[in-house]
Amino acid sequence: MKKNTMQEFDETVSICRNLFLKKMHDYGLSWRILRPSSLTDLIYIKAQRIKSIEEKGCQAVEDDIFSEYVGIINYAVMAQIQLVYGPCSIGDTTLSQQQVSDLYDKYVKNAKNLLANKNHDYDEAWRNMRMTSITDVILMKLLRVKQIEDNHEQSLVSEGLDANFYDIFNYAVFALIRLNEIKNETI
């Protein structure tokens, strides 16, 4: 049966968006005080934990790898928002929860369009990647982001921060799709 990546993308992102909205209800927009570099570090922590679990073959904390990839996706969207709007001070209401929800959808749409274009050119090569390689690519992209941030966002020939966050987002979506495939293969 031919897989429909765009449908799988929508189903996967729906899970992430629902959690994002529930957390926004519980915590408000507290994350808006974070600088983009702080979000980079939060994504790095999640990706590094995934790599550690992959290498050790076990985990000591209950949160599973699936939820870590969901976190990476949501933090990547937050990073895109912060790149444009910047961190706010405590109590700042520059953006409403509805505006943030709309921005979430905007960045997801952009990521989906990028994914469609890349899948056209690469013939969905990601489907043949090892899960560990997906994790490594996310970590590599994060190291690139950190280097660009450390260079005060000045690069000579490289894509900017936003392009890397879109790639991180899409690789995390790939990981969740692959995890669902693996789970369904064992049922």
Side-chain angles (χ1 to χ4, degrees), residues 15 66 176-187:
I15 293 166
F66 190 94
L176 291 177
I177 291 171
R178 293 282 296 121
L179 286 171
N180 276 332
E181 288 175 346
I182 292 165
K183 183 176 90 174
N184 290 336
E185 289 170 4
T186 59
I187 293 177

Side-chain angles (χ1 to χ4, degrees), residues 92-163:
D92 184 354
T93 56
T94 305
L95 295 174
S96 69
Q97 288 189 4
Q98 183 59 54
Q99 287 171 308
V100 169
S101 177
D102 293 343
L103 287 168
Y104 188 101
D105 295 340
K106 171 188 168 183
Y107 290 113
V108 165
K109 182 180 177 185
N110 292 347
K112 185 177 180 181
N113 289 338
L114 177 65
L115 172 69
N117 290 336
K118 287 191 174 186
N119 267 352
H120 174 272
D121 290 354
Y122 291 98
D123 286 329
E124 298 201 345
W126 64 270
R127 287 198 183 269
N128 295 314
M129 290 178 70
R130 296 173 186 96
M131 288 299 298
T132 54
S133 296
I134 292 173
T135 304
D136 288 348
V137 169
I138 290 171
L139 283 164
M140 177 193 65
K141 296 276 182 187
L142 286 165
L143 293 174
R144 288 179 179 180
V145 167
K146 288 175 125 189
Q147 185 62 50
I148 294 169
E149 289 170 343
D150 290 347
N151 290 340
H152 307 287
E153 298 184 35
Q154 301 298 313
S155 58
L156 300 176
V157 296
S158 303
E159 296 177 308
L161 295 174
D162 61 334

Side-chain angles (χ1 to χ4, degrees), residues 13-178:
V13 171
S14 176
I15 293 166
C16 302
R17 185 180 189 279
N18 287 337
L19 181 62
F20 180 87
L21 294 176
K22 287 176 183 175
K23 286 194 174 196
M24 188 166 58
H25 174 270
D26 290 350
Y27 303 135
L29 300 175
S30 58
W31 58 269
R32 288 274 294 121
I33 67 163
L34 297 172
R35 291 169 274 208
S37 58
S38 297
L39 285 158
T40 301
D41 288 341
L42 288 171
I43 297 169
Y44 176 80
I45 289 166
K46 291 197 169 294
Q48 186 58 45
R49 179 171 184 262
I50 293 166
K51 182 176 181 172
S52 173
I53 292 168
E54 289 171 345
E55 290 178 348
K56 293 174 184 169
C58 65
Q59 62 193 64
V61 177
E62 189 173 318
D63 294 339
D64 62 359
I65 288 177
F66 190 94
S67 65
E68 296 294 9
Y69 280 116
V70 169
I72 288 171
I73 288 168
N74 286 338
Y75 282 148
V77 172
M78 290 177 198
Q80 294 285 21
I81 293 169
Q82 295 301 80
L83 286 174
V84 173
Y85 292 93
C88 66
S89 59
I90 295 174
D92 184 354
T93 56
T94 305
L95 295 174
S96 69
Q97 288 189 4
Q98 183 59 54
Q99 287 171 308
V100 169
S101 177
D102 293 343
L103 287 168
Y104 188 101
D105 295 340
K106 171 188 168 183
Y107 290 113
V108 165
K109 182 180 177 185
N110 292 347
K112 185 177 180 181
N113 289 338
L114 177 65
L115 172 69
N117 290 336
K118 287 191 174 186
N119 267 352
H120 174 272
D121 290 354
Y122 291 98
D123 286 329
E124 298 201 345
W126 64 270
R127 287 198 183 269
N128 295 314
M129 290 178 70
R130 296 173 186 96
M131 288 299 298
T132 54
S133 296
I134 292 173
T135 304
D136 288 348
V137 169
I138 290 171
L139 283 164
M140 177 193 65
K141 296 276 182 187
L142 286 165
L143 293 174
R144 288 179 179 180
V145 167
K146 288 175 125 189
Q147 185 62 50
I148 294 169
E149 289 170 343
D150 290 347
N151 290 340
H152 307 287
E153 298 184 35
Q154 301 298 313
S155 58
L156 300 176
V157 296
S158 303
E159 296 177 308
L161 295 174
D162 61 334
N164 283 286
F165 282 121
Y166 280 125
D167 285 346
I168 290 165
F169 178 99
N170 280 332
Y171 274 101
V173 169
F174 296 158
L176 291 177
I177 291 171
R178 293 282 296 121

